Amino acid sequence: TSSTLLAWQGCKRCVDMMASFSVVVVALATLTVSVSSVPVRSRGSSPMNLPVDGASPEKLRFSADGKFRIVQVADVHFGEGPESWGPIQDAISIKYIKELMGYAGADLVVLSGDQLTAKDIDKNATAYWDIVVDALGATPHTAILGNHDAEPPHANGHNQSSPGAHTNRVQLMAHDVTTRLSHSQLGPAHLNPAVSVYIVDVWNADPGELTPELQLVHLDSGGGGMIEELFPPQITWLNRTLEKRRQQFGRAIPSLVFVHIPMWEFKDAMKHGSECVGEQDEKVAPTLHNTGLFAAIEANPEIVGVFVGHNHCNDFCCKIGRRAVDLCFGRHSGRGGYNCDGYENGARVIDVEINPWKASTHIRLTNGSITHEAGL
């Protein structure tokens, strides 16, 4: 409408979208229809913890030549400004995600938090979430929650850590479990509202193999109904679960950790770490307190690296500590949230190979180029 167009033209944050406007008109129309046509899930609903086709997802597997690729999609912040500039921004974000899927050839996407800016959409949270998932096409995914995904409207003193969202953290994660090609899980009930806490296995190509080749650990750093903290009970769960798996499988399975908000050790990684690759264009904003997550990571020898989001203008990787664990930011994948001048959107790509086991990473930008390559 003309009023929406005027609002968009008057919005400072939309100036940098002018050049992209012509290529997202069709996507914008599709986006508007999609959001309006998806029914709003009631607060009392309780979806089954199964994919929409009613069957458990197939196991994730390495290819016959022993390769597996993960793409980390970070901080899309879908659903901002829905009555003004937001739909155009969202259409650009979806365009970017689809382009990244085409470039990267992922076997799995990890949605690493802040898929949504829920304070602006609230009751339509699951409808917007579904559009982000649909943009992944035929690629399986997992998800963790960020500090904005279940953020309540900012009224009556609420902030991003307050409860009060119509679609709360548990309901939102339970919804993702039902979406197409989702490998997400609901975490142990005793850790709620830290609900996106679970491990996903990746197996080799032999269907008779009984031991996974890779563990993908998903942790929950809070926000939207809980403070931005990774509490000690979650660290206890991590330690006990990894030890139990060592006993179950007879060896330590190489592991990658995904969590939205960086640990405190990220703050000085570029200064004190080694083999740093990438950019730090803003100050690291860690969890409220250092609750000992990195100490647990160093103590568990199978953990190779930790991958975070949250800060939109950092994408560095550095090796830290006595085991040289890789601490890596993703790359801001969507146009939502804040953006830094000259900072192209993109995604982190993680390649793992077996026989012999090795891992590497790089950033794929939305213009198709590859940068910041590093070994893990």
Side-chain angles (χ1 to χ4, degrees):
T1 64
S2 58
S3 59
T4 300
L5 181 58
L6 288 171
W8 171 62
Q9 290 172 332
C11 176
K12 291 182 179 180
R13 74 183 302 163
C14 297
V15 172
D16 66 341
M17 300 179 190
M18 294 285 287
S20 302
F21 178 70
S22 62
V23 298
V24 299
V25 170
V26 174
L28 175 58
T30 303
L31 180 66
T32 303
V33 171
S34 299
V35 174
S36 62
S37 62
V38 177
V40 175
R41 188 179 298 279
S42 67
R43 296 187 69 173
S45 63
S46 180
M48 295 186 299
N49 299 333
L50 293 172
V52 290
D53 63 1
S56 298
E58 294 184 5
K59 289 182 176 180
L60 297 171
R61 294 191 180 276
F62 283 81
S63 63
D65 59 352
K67 297 180 180 180
F68 192 82
R69 171 167 284 186
I70 302 165
V71 173
Q72 178 190 357
V73 171
D75 296 275
V76 178
H77 283 276
F78 210 62
E80 294 180 331
E83 303 301 325
S84 52
W85 43 266
I88 292 173
Q89 174 177 276
D90 287 348
I92 295 172
S93 293
I94 293 302
K95 173 179 176 289
Y96 284 173
I97 293 172
K98 289 181 176 180
E99 288 174 345
L100 289 166
M101 293 299 98
Y103 294 141
D107 297 302
L108 177 73
V109 170
V110 176
L111 299 171
S112 64
D114 284 359
Q115 286 73 250
L116 309 179
T117 300
K119 70 179 181 67
D120 291 340
I121 54 179
D122 206 29
K123 292 183 180 180
N124 280 340
T126 55
Y128 279 90
W129 187 285
D130 288 347
I131 297 171
V132 175
V133 169
D134 286 346
L136 306 180
T139 305
H141 77 275
T142 61
I144 53 177
L145 297 179
N147 51 304
H148 292 284
D149 287 305
E151 181 180 12
H154 287 193
N156 301 321
H158 286 174
N159 60 35
Q160 63 195 36
S161 297
S162 300
H166 284 281
T167 307
N168 65 33
R169 306 180 101 256
V170 176
Q171 291 169 328
L172 190 58
M173 199 65 196
H175 175 77
D176 183 69
V177 171
T178 71
T179 59
R180 186 170 62 96
L181 299 176
S182 173
H183 287 258
S184 298
Q185 302 170 26
L186 292 177
H190 75 277
L191 296 177
N192 287 353
V195 67
S196 54
V197 182
Y198 58 99
I199 295 177
V200 170
D201 293 315
V202 185
W203 306 77
N204 73 23
D206 179 3
E209 179 58 59
L210 300 178
T211 301
E213 299 287 351
L214 177 65
Q215 298 176 141
L216 304 178
V217 180
H218 301 70
L219 300 177
D220 195 323
S221 54
M226 59 182 287
I227 65 171
E228 297 172 9
E229 192 87 293
L230 200 147
F231 290 99
Q234 197 174 156
I235 297 173
T236 299
W237 172 89
L238 174 66
N239 290 329
R240 290 177 176 173
T241 301
L242 291 180
E243 174 59 29
K244 180 179 179 181
R245 283 172 154 257
R246 283 183 218 116
Q247 296 176 7
Q248 176 184 353
F249 297 121
R251 65 182 177 94
I253 308 299
S255 304
L256 306 177
V257 174
F258 295 89
V259 61
H260 180 68
I261 300 177
M263 303 173 290
W264 278 52
E265 285 74 12
F266 275 84
K267 292 172 63 177
D268 296 320
M270 287 286 277
K271 183 185 299 183
H272 302 305
S274 63
E275 300 181 38
C276 293
V277 176
E279 303 175 36
Q280 181 176 3
D281 290 338
E282 65 172 314
K283 184 178 179 180
V284 173
T287 51
L288 291 179
H289 302 98
N290 188 344
T291 55
L293 177 58
F294 185 73
I297 285 167
E298 278 215 302
N300 287 285
E302 56 266 83
I303 297 178
V304 176
V306 181
F307 301 86
V308 303
H310 193 56
N311 291 125
H312 297 185
C313 305
N314 296 334
D315 74 349
F316 64 80
C317 272
C318 291
K319 295 183 183 295
I320 297 293
R322 57 180 173 78
R323 288 203 302 108
V325 176
D326 285 278
L327 303 188
C328 299
F329 274 95
R331 181 87 176 192
H332 188 200
S333 302
R335 293 305 298 173
Y338 63 92
N339 294 276
C340 294
D341 291 342
Y343 197 81
E344 182 94 15
N345 294 97
R348 177 163 296 285
V349 178
I350 306 160
D351 288 317
V352 179
E353 298 183 33
I354 52 179
N355 302 321
W357 200 96
K358 66 176 183 178
S360 61
T361 186
H362 63 266
I363 296 295
R364 174 73 79 161
L365 300 177
T366 53
N367 63 16
S369 63
I370 291 174
T371 187
H372 305 334
E373 297 173 89
L376 298 176

